[in-house]
């Protein structure tokens, strides 16, 4: 059935749980970004190496553009609600809200200057460089003799674009790309100091309005960008930050290009929980989803002719009378030959097994938490004093004691979707190089019930006697292997999901009509070079010889004996191939006599040619015809 | 189906020492048969009791002996009759001999099936094994047990023994119990038998698997350490959530006389064009669209297939790493287990050596898995060792799925050390918390771990299947409350709380919790569990007053009921005549206040205040002729107290003589004098 989204869709979002609809808080952190790109002739004339191992030189202008383009392509997937504007300055043509000279805001139809990026916007921006000279034109804006100040105009235009929305709900940023460290260098005397002062004042005004201005300087290795010349004042760098600025700016540029396509989620409370510790002491917790499988985004069904979205409608039909019925309030379950009916109220009564949200039952040592006690991603808990003062204090006290005593709490979580025993593990804060790697709080792990655990190992026990366990020698050799193939700095989130990245890449290629699908590196493949190192190979070889003896290859062969089922399948295929030869398929197909054969006969052909044998007779025939290319 | 049908014989000890747990045994055994009726209705079940006064079995007739063993139900296809028989087991009078019962059971299976049905014959013994078994005529007891175990192996029988110990067995002769333990353990070494010791009723319910699911492999093939070293493994699900059964929608449209009616409701999905709502778009004209910024990009199935990510099937090792590099909360899904291919000794050894080395070195393995060909994504996961301490069970590895970079949301939270001093616990508070963590112990030394997931049944499922059985007999039965055994899963155990009373009290005294008056909205959260009438209106309005208002009450119009002088506030509100709503408001506010007081009470310290409030409310309701308001509320309170185990408050009600308002006091009341008087006497609510 194709009516509902495929159930085996690997990206099905587990967030469809009722919990996720209970979002109570949204920290709105939308981002409004204006890219200011210097388009003076110097940007086109100066070049720098495209990459470390590449001899080709690229113009600064091109680098800035490709960087923005890359960043837009990531942003449309990661945070498609953020809004952007791209604004060139030092241009011949002008287009901006205030009609300022030398400033050109790039845009496409059906879009405001500052708006969400669209496929068309990205597509046309990718082509802007070709027609730049014709449509926009590069021209130095600050020349002696005129009062024009294109940098001033650019900042002013950016500020006007960012007037939208309040600084509280949105992050407003201006990213300035330039390779001119001394924009007023061509001017002398009082006019220069005047212009400098005005421009700095303009920037300060913008910053006072909550707009941050970031500088992305471009330079050639032989000709470094001197930030203290002018820009340090503009972006408000302190003395001691000057030294670090250039290297960090370089990193920022790289970061913009190499960002992972990753849907960003706003931090939000999934649910507010009441945690009953003992009678009379209940504290307030907020739960967050820190780890959830990411889906590539919702699927919308479209009409393939018009590409317009479709609305799905659900109807209930009585199976006995064929009459349309309302959503029924009763359910039934067949048992002992009868249909036992339940009202929805009775069902919810059954599921409502506890009153509180989270009920502490006791504590156990961490060693009791076995590795197979897991069913779904954990939920993160963090205390709040919002409604119940003192919650944080109690939480911290318990948190500390649990870490110290190496214990976890067992609690009953009485949610209506699935009432469950949970383990609460206290997690200490982990900070690495200034960033919080693990936030402090508790992780709620959903424990299975005995009904959910399968006794697989015991089914594999020997009927009588013993099974072999490794000897000390064998363990030692295995330890050597483990030492050799060690992932030292393994971190859980070091791998991007290749399937998901591929999805985004395909989507981008189709949306932007790109000819090639961007190459996605599968980071999850084993490090073959590493495994081929002599030390590793030797350790593996020794382990293999000790456990399997000299004749590992034969063992493997001997052990891969075909199973009963596959033998049967093979025999069937042989019969089919033989039978298949008895028919003149071409003739039958040409004369339309295939339909006179039985399904069994048709299947001879299909099995002999390794085709699927499912479906009705018509399907089989059409499959045969397709295979024969008729 | 038929080839999968199982024959099971329940061997149940009903001797005098077992009487206290028989109700639980009745529940778990009838549940087992109920589930068979639903999931494997061709299975066959027999029931043998021992420790009974009577004797009724074929062996007694044939060879003599085998006293006090009764075949309650001979092996037959499961039906309602067996369920009923199991729901009312007779209480026996003598000490049972479990070995006799086993022999009777084995004999029944042999007579019925002979050599056939191998591997599908199972015995399930439930006993406390407190009574000695009889000396055999020849040889030792050990030899006798070994002989029987061998017989069972020959006939392909499995056995599961659940031995009740700890709280579930009375004081018994340790020597006999040890001997019996030894004898029973022979079964688990000689034949495929599972031996489980349980110490409390909850784990008894969980220990007997009421539904037997044959695990199926999700992967069979090579675990590739390197291209040159592959270990043959089988991968199974170790945990999978047993979901609440899916019930079908019921349609009552069919005539009640129509016997063949299915009563089912078919759900039909139709996709309609957004411009023309009458036009139905057939499935082959639909195409999936994916969001790209504000736009939706149509991508057909064929297009996707051509370009999507297609990894090769296989399990590849990426490497080993310190177990501390993978945190417990990063496990994403249900768990798999990796077992060496059956009968492949070398693979078993290889897996065993890896598992043991990993354990010794505190390492885990990181794996890249593609379970099936054609799967559109890869899975990264972690293997952790699972060493077996039983001789006949091989070592294995558990597999947990880990998140990808895209799945981790890097939200930042304030450090605890950044909170101001008042929010930081002091020495004494830390000590109180540490004591609580230490003493509220669910895994005490030398005793059975309480609420171990392996032995804890799902209370909701238990409840559903019991109710299903009840409904099959009484269609309009009400949902029975959660029974005491299952309550031990959802609520802290009374015994544990009693034992640690002083620790808990100390904890309560050490901390101060205060509802935040400014935060009205969230009060709903704290009130949620009170299901009564009319509290909805008052909910938001009873926030405590700012303290400066309370100081000079005479000049201020009282609009709410505060913490300090609730009775006075209530009376003041009652006397406000500017709006008739004040009376209703005051009553509702007072009700909430009383709930608060009772619920927030530590050891009854608020009770006297609550009683004062209740008295005032009663007086007010009599004066204002609102008896129903008060009577309903008092009933709610009683229900609330019973639900929360606050019986002491109910007791203090009767001591104060606080009861319903009868007709004699307020004409509108529907309550008679008699009813009012008896209200507080009944401590149990009517059971429906």
């Amino acid at each position: 059935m194709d009516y509902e989204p495929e159930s085996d869709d690997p990206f099905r979002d587990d967030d469809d749980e009722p919990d996720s609809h209970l979002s109570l808080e949204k920290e709105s952190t939308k981002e409004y970004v204006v890219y200011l790109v210097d388009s003076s002739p110097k940007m086109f004339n100066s070049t720098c190496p495209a990459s470390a191992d590449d001899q080709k030189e690229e113009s600064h202008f091109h680098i800035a553009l490709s960087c923005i383009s890359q960043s837009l392509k990531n942003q449309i997937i990661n945070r498609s609600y953020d809004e952007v504007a791209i604004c060139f300055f030092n241009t011949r043509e002008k287009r901006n809200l205030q009609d300022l000279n030398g400033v050109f805001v790039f845009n496409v139809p059906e879009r405001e200057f500052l708006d969400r990026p669209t496929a068309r916007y990205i597509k046309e921006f990718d082509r802007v460089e070709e027609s730049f000279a014709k449509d926009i034109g590069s021209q130095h804006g600050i020349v002696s003799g005129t009062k024009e100040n294109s940098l001033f105009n650019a900042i002013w235009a950016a500020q006007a674009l960012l007037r939208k929305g309040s600084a509280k709900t949105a992050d407003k940023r201006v990213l300035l790309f330039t390779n001119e460290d001394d924009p007023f260098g061509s001017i002398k005397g009082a006019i220069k100091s005047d212009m400098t002062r005005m421009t700095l004042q303009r920037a300060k005004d913008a910053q006072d309005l909550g707009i941050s201005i970031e500088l992305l300087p471009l330079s050639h290795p032989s000709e470094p960008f001197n930030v203290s010349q002018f820009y340090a004042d503009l972006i408000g760098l302190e003395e001691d930050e000057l030294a670090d600025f250039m290297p960090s700016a370089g990193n920022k540029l790289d970061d913009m290009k190499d960002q992972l396509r990753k849907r960003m989620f706003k931090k939000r409370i999934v649910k507010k929980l009441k945690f009953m510790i003992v009678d009379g002491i209940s504290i307030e917790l907020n739960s967050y989803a820190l780890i959830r499988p990411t889906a590539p985004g919702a699927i919308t069904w479209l009409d393939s002719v018009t590409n317009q979205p479709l609305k799905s409608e659900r109807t209930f039909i009585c199976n006995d009378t064929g009459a349309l019925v309302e959503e029924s309030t009763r359910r039934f379950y067949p048992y002992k030959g009868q249909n036992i009916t339940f009202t929805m109220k009775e069902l919810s009564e059954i599921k409502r097994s506890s009153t509180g949200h989270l009920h502490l039952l006791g504590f156990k040592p961490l060693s009791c938490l076995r590795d197979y006690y897991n069913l779904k991603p954990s939920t993160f808990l963090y205390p709040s004093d919002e409604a119940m003062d003192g919650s944080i204090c109690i939480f911290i006290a318990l948190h500390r004691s649990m870490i110290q005593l190496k214990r976890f709490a067992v609690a009953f979580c009485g949610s209506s979707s699935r009432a469950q025993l949970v383990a609460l593990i206290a997690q200490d804060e982990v900070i690495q190089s200034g960033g919080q790697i693990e936030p402090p709080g508790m992780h709620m792990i959903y424990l299975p019930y005995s009904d959910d655990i399968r006794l697989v190992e015991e089914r594999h026990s020997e009927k009588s006697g013993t099974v072999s366990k490794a000897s000390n020698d064998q363990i030692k050799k295995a330890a050597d292997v483990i030492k050799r193939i060690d992932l030292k700095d393994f971190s859980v989130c070091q791998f991007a999901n290749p399937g998901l990245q591929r999805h985004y890449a395909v989507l981008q290629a189709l949306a932007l009509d790109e000819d090639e699908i961007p190459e996605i590196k599968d980071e999850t493949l084993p490090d073959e070079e590493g495994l081929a190192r002599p030390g590793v190979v030797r350790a593996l070889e020794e382990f293999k010889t000790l456990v399997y003896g000299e004749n590992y290859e034969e063992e493997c062969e001997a052990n891969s004996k075909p199973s009963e089922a596959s033998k049967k399948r093979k025999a069937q295929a042989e019969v089919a191939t033989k039978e298949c030869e008895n028919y003149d398929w071409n003739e039958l197909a040409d004369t339309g006599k295939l339909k006179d054969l039985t399904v069994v006969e048709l299947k001879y052909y299909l099995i002999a040619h390794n085709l699927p044998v499912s479906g009705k007779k018509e399907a089989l025939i059409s499959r045969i015809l397709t295979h024969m290319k008729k | 189906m038929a080839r999968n049908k199982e024959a099971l014989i329940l061997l149940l000890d009903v001797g005098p020492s077992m009487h206290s747990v028989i109700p639980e045994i009745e529940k778990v055994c009838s549940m087992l048969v109920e589930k068979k009726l639903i999931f494997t209705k061709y299975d066959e079940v027999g029931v043998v009791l021992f420790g009974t006064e009577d004797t009724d079995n074929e062996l007694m007739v044939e060879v003599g002996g085998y006293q006090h063993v009764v075949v309650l139900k001979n092996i037959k296809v499961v039906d309602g009759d067996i369920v009923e028989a199991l729901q009312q087991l007779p209480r026996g009078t003598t000490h049972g001999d479990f070995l006799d019962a086993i022999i009777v059971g084995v004999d029944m299976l042999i007579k019925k099936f002979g050599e056939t049905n191998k591997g599908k014959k199972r015995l399930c013994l439930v006993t406390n094994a407190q009574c000695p078994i009889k000396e055999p005529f020849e040889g030792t007891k050990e030899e006798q047990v070994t002989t029987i175990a061998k017989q069972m192996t020959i006939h392909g029988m499995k056995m599961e023994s659940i031995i009740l110990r700890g709280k579930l067995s009375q004081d018994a002769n340790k020597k006999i119990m040890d001997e019996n333990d030894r004898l029973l353990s022979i079964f688990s070494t000689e034949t495929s038998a599972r031996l489980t010791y349980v110490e409390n009723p909850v784990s008894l319910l969980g220990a007997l698997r009421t539904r037997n699911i044959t695990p199926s492999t999700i992967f069979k093939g090579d675990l590739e350490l390197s291209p040159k070293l592959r270990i043959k493994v089988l991968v199974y699900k170790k945990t999978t959530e047993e979901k609440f059964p899916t019930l079908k929608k019921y349609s009552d449209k069919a005539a009640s006389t129509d016997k063949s009616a299915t009563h089912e409701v078919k759900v039909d999905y139709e996709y309609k064009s957004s411009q023309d709502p009458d036009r139905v778009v057939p499935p082959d004209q639909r195409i999936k669209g994916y969001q790209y910024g504000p736009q939706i990009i149509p991508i057909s199935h064929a297009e996707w297939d051509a370009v999507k990510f297609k990894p090769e099937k296989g399990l590849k090792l990426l490497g080993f790493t310190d177990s501390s590099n993978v945190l417990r909360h990063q496990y994403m899904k249900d768990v798999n287990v990796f077992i060496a291919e059956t009968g492949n000794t070398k693979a078993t050894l290889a897996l065993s050596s890896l598992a043991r080395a990993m354990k010794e070195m505190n390492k885990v393995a990181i794996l890249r898995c593609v379970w099936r060909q054609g799967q559109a994504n890869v899975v990264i996961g972690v293997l952790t060792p699972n060493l077996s301490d039983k001789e006949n069970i091989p070592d294995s590895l558990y597999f947990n799925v880990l998140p990808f970079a895209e799945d981790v949301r890097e939200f930042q939270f304030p450090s605890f050390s950044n909170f101001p001093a008042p929010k930081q616990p002091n020495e004494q508070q830390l000590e109180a918390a540490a004591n609580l963590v230490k003493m509220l112990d669910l895994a005490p030394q030398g005793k059975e771990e309480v609420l171990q997931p392996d032995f804890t049944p799902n209370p909701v499922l238990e409840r559903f299947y019991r109710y299903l059985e009840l409904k099959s007999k009484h269609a309009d039965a009400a949902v029975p409350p959660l029974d005491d055994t299952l309550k031990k899963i959802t609520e802290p155990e009374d015994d544990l709380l009693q034992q640690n009373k002083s620790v808990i009290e100390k904890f309560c005294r050490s901390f101060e919790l205060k509802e935040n008056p400014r935060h009205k909205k969230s009060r709903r959260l704290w009130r949620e569990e009170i299901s009564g009438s009319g509290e909805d209106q008052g909910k938001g309005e009873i926030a405590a007053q700012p303290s400066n208002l309370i100081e000079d009450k005479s000049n201020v119009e009282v609009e709410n009921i505060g913490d300090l002088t609730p009775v006075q506030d209530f009376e003041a509100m009652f006397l406000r005549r500017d709006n008739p709503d004040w009376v209703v408001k005051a009553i509702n506010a007072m009700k909430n206040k009383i709930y608060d007081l009772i619920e927030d009470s530590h050891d009854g310290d608020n009770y006297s205040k609550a009683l004062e409030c209740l008295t005032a409310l009663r007086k007010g309701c009599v004066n204002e002729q609102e008896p129903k308001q008060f009577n309903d509320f008092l009933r709610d309170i009683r229900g609330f107290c019973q639900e929360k185990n606050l019986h002491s408050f109910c007791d203090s009600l009767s001591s104060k003589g606080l009861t319903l308002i009868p007709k004699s006091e307020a004409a509108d009341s529907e309550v008679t004098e008699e009813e009012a008087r008896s209200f507080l006497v009944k401590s149990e609510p009517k059971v429906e």
Side-chain angles (χ1 to χ4, degrees), chain A residues 200 215 226-238 242:
Chain A
L200 291 179
L215 175 71
N226 185 359
V227 69
S228 40
Q229 186 76 255
F230 168 75
Y231 278 103
D233 289 336
L234 184 113
I235 56 177
L237 275 187
E238 302 289 333
L242 275 175

Side-chain angles (χ1 to χ4, degrees), chain B residues 64-84:
Chain B
Y66 300 99
Q67 295 294 314
H68 306 297
V69 177
V70 169
V71 178
L72 185 69
K73 293 286 164 195
N74 221 324
I75 306 175
K76 63 171 176 177
V77 174
V78 285
D79 57 11
D81 171 48
I82 301 182
V83 178
E84 257 162 68

Side-chain angles (χ1 to χ4, degrees), chain A residues 300-584:
Chain A
T300 317
W301 282 105
L302 305 175
D303 185 330
S304 62
V305 180
T306 62
N307 276 346
Q308 289 301 314
L310 298 174
K311 273 189 303 196
S312 85
E313 250 172 48
R314 198 169 56 155
T315 45
F316 300 101
I317 299 161
C318 172
N319 213 16
D320 301 316
T321 61
L324 280 180
V325 290
E326 296 280 299
E327 161 88 84
S328 165
T329 53
R330 285 206 289 166
R331 299 281 184 271
F332 74 97
Y333 197 76
Y335 177 60
K336 293 203 286 201
Q338 330 170 27
N339 283 338
I340 315 286
T341 61
F342 296 84
T343 61
M344 293 307 274
K345 204 171 151 236
E346 284 167 340
L347 288 173
S348 67
E349 175 66 27
I350 293 173
K351 291 182 187 172
R352 205 176 62 93
S353 42
S354 154
T355 47
H357 287 231
L358 196 59
H359 218 131
L360 177 74
L361 303 176
F363 298 89
K364 289 181 186 179
L366 280 173
S367 57
C368 285
L369 189 66
R370 310 285 308 274
D371 278 317
Y372 61 90
Y373 295 165
N374 210 72
L375 289 171
K376 51 183 180 183
S378 60
T379 298
F380 181 71
L381 302 176
Y382 195 83
S384 156
D385 271 358
E386 205 177 337
M388 194 54 94
D389 221 12
S391 297
I392 292 178
C393 179
I394 295 184
F395 188 88
I396 296 178
L398 285 175
H399 182 262
R400 242 190 253 171
S401 305
M402 282 159 69
I403 289 177
Q404 236 162 42
L405 297 164
K406 295 192 172 62
R407 289 180 148 248
F408 69 94
V410 178
F412 188 76
C413 182
S415 97
S416 62
S417 56
R418 179 168 157 105
Q420 207 154 13
L421 281 173
V422 295
L424 306 180
I425 306 182
Q427 172 67 48
D428 223 350
E429 185 175 21
V430 179
I431 293 181
Q432 244 171 49
S433 53
Q436 192 178 53
I437 304 286
E438 290 293 334
M442 292 194 198
H443 290 284
M444 179 156 83
I445 287 158
Y446 300 90
L447 298 174
Y449 289 115
S450 65
D451 317 56
D452 309 323
I453 300 174
R454 301 200 176 156
L455 304 169
V456 186
E457 299 95 317
E458 285 171 36
R459 278 182 176 266
H460 275 264
S461 62
E462 289 293 315
K463 298 282 173 297
S464 56
T466 55
V467 293
S468 18
K469 301 273 165 69
S471 68
N472 280 338
D473 276 356
Q474 288 164 335
I475 297 173
K476 214 184 254 159
K477 287 290 177 216
D480 282 346
V481 171
I482 293 174
K483 255 180 245 153
R484 288 287 178 181
I485 319 178
D486 192 35
L487 305 171
K488 252 202 193 70
D489 302 310
F490 176 78
S491 136
V492 154
C493 31
Q494 77 185 48
F495 299 115
N497 184 345
L500 194 59
Q501 290 302 320
R502 179 80 185 169
H503 173 97
Y504 292 146
V506 169
L507 193 59
Q508 177 185 321
L510 288 170
L512 304 179
D513 288 330
E514 288 175 358
D515 299 333
E516 276 173 55
I517 295 167
E519 208 43 54
I520 295 299
K521 190 172 165 266
D522 184 354
E523 300 159 339
T524 62
L525 284 166
D527 166 23
E528 269 168 37
E529 263 172 54
L531 285 176
R533 278 199 309 266
V536 178
V537 173
R538 202 181 325 115
L540 281 165
E541 224 29 70
E542 282 175 19
F543 175 63
K544 191 160 90 179
T545 317
L546 190 66
V547 175
Y548 284 89
E550 295 297 336
N551 38 10
Y552 164 79
E553 305 299 330
E554 285 164 42
E555 288 274 342
C556 275
E557 284 308 305
N559 277 313
S560 56
K561 266 184 294 189
S563 69
E564 281 300 307
S566 76
K567 261 189 233 158
K568 209 167 140 193
R569 226 170 319 172
K570 220 169 166 185
Q572 230 176 13
E574 269 165 30
V575 172
T577 319
K578 228 161 90 196
E579 290 287 337
C580 182
E581 285 163 10
N582 298 337
Y583 300 85
D584 184 353

Side-chain angles (χ1 to χ4, degrees), chain A residues 3 6 117 119 262 267 274 282 290-292 294 300 302-304 308-309 311-313 315 317-320 327-328 330-332 335-336 338 341 346 349-350 352 357 361 363-364 370-378 382 385-387 389 393 401 407 418 429 436 443 448 450-454 457-458 460-462 465 467-470 485-487 492-493 495 497 501-503 522 524 544 547 552 555, chain B residues 34 194 209 215 228 230 236 238-242 248-251 262-264 266 268-272 274-275 279 285 287-289 294-295 304 307 318 320-321 328-334 345-346 352 363 368 384 386 390-393 398 400 403 405-409 412-415 423 434 437 440-442 449-451 453-454 456 458 463 467 469 471-472 489 491-492 513-514 516 519 522 528-529:
Chain A
Y3 280 82
E6 287 162 52
K262 171 175 172 179
K267 177 174 161 188
K274 178 176 160 184
S282 298
L290 289 194
I291 301 181
R292 289 292 179 273
T294 308
T300 317
L302 305 175
D303 185 330
S304 62
Q308 289 301 314
K311 273 189 303 196
S312 85
E313 250 172 48
T315 45
I317 299 161
C318 172
N319 213 16
D320 301 316
E327 161 88 84
S328 165
R330 285 206 289 166
R331 299 281 184 271
F332 74 97
Y335 177 60
K336 293 203 286 201
Q338 330 170 27
T341 61
E346 284 167 340
E349 175 66 27
I350 293 173
R352 205 176 62 93
H357 287 231
L361 303 176
F363 298 89
K364 289 181 186 179
R370 310 285 308 274
D371 278 317
Y372 61 90
Y373 295 165
N374 210 72
L375 289 171
K376 51 183 180 183
S378 60
Y382 195 83
D385 271 358
E386 205 177 337
D389 221 12
C393 179
S401 305
R407 289 180 148 248
R418 179 168 157 105
E429 185 175 21
Q436 192 178 53
H443 290 284
S450 65
D451 317 56
D452 309 323
I453 300 174
R454 301 200 176 156
E457 299 95 317
E458 285 171 36
H460 275 264
S461 62
E462 289 293 315
V467 293
S468 18
K469 301 273 165 69
I485 319 178
D486 192 35
L487 305 171
V492 154
C493 31
F495 299 115
N497 184 345
Q501 290 302 320
R502 179 80 185 169
H503 173 97
D522 184 354
T524 62
K544 191 160 90 179
V547 175
Y552 164 79
E555 288 274 342
Chain B
E34 279 167 39
R194 187 163 106 98
R209 291 304 159 105
K228 292 216 179 89
R230 298 153 189 266
Y236 291 95
K238 177 65 189 170
T239 59
T240 332
E241 188 178 315
E242 170 105 4
K248 289 182 182 151
K249 293 187 176 67
Y250 185 82
S251 158
T262 58
H263 293 289
E264 282 175 27
K266 224 169 69 197
D268 218 22
Y269 290 94
E270 274 181 343
Y271 287 85
K272 293 190 173 164
S274 48
Q275 292 110 351
R279 195 166 64 86
Q285 228 188 76
I287 187 165
K288 274 181 188 170
Q295 283 142 297
W304 258 132
V307 294
L318 297 185
F320 298 89
T321 191
R328 184 61 175 78
H329 67 261
Q330 290 162 335
Y331 295 180
M332 292 283 279
K333 282 177 80 175
D334 38 19
T345 332
K346 298 289 166 64
S352 165
K363 294 273 184 187
R368 171 199 201 259
T384 46
N386 170 38
K390 295 210 177 78
E391 279 184 334
N392 55 353
I393 295 178
Y398 290 129
N400 270 289
E406 294 93 333
D407 305 334
V408 179
R409 303 173 188 177
Q412 303 287 307
F413 290 86
S415 297
K423 293 196 193 293
V437 173
L440 227 55
D441 192 3
L442 295 179
E449 179 187 333
V450 185
L451 293 176
D454 309 68
T456 310
N458 183 339
R463 208 172 172 198
Y467 187 43
E469 166 69 18
K471 269 214 157 192
S472 73
I489 303 169
E491 283 168 25
L513 274 173
K514 216 166 62 218
N516 210 331
H519 198 79
S522 74
E528 218 165 51
E529 70 263 36

Side-chain angles (χ1 to χ4, degrees), chain A residues 33-40 43 60-71 85-90 125 151 154 173-180 213-219 225 231 249 252-254 256-257:
Chain A
V33 182
V34 174
Y35 294 99
L36 283 183
V37 186
D38 187 353
S39 316
S40 71
M43 286 289 283
H60 284 156
F61 188 72
H62 177 81
I63 291 170
L65 257 51
S66 66
C67 179
I68 293 170
S69 158
Q70 222 11 277
S71 168
I86 300 168
C87 183
F88 298 104
F89 66 100
N90 287 332
F125 181 72
L151 181 60
R173 296 164 65 200
V174 173
L175 296 181
L176 180 74
F177 290 82
T178 184
N179 61 354
E180 178 58 78
I213 301 180
E214 292 164 46
L215 175 71
L216 291 150
L218 298 151
S219 59
F225 188 97
Y231 278 103
K252 212 176 338 177
L253 214 57
D254 288 341
M256 280 179 73
K257 277 196 277 193

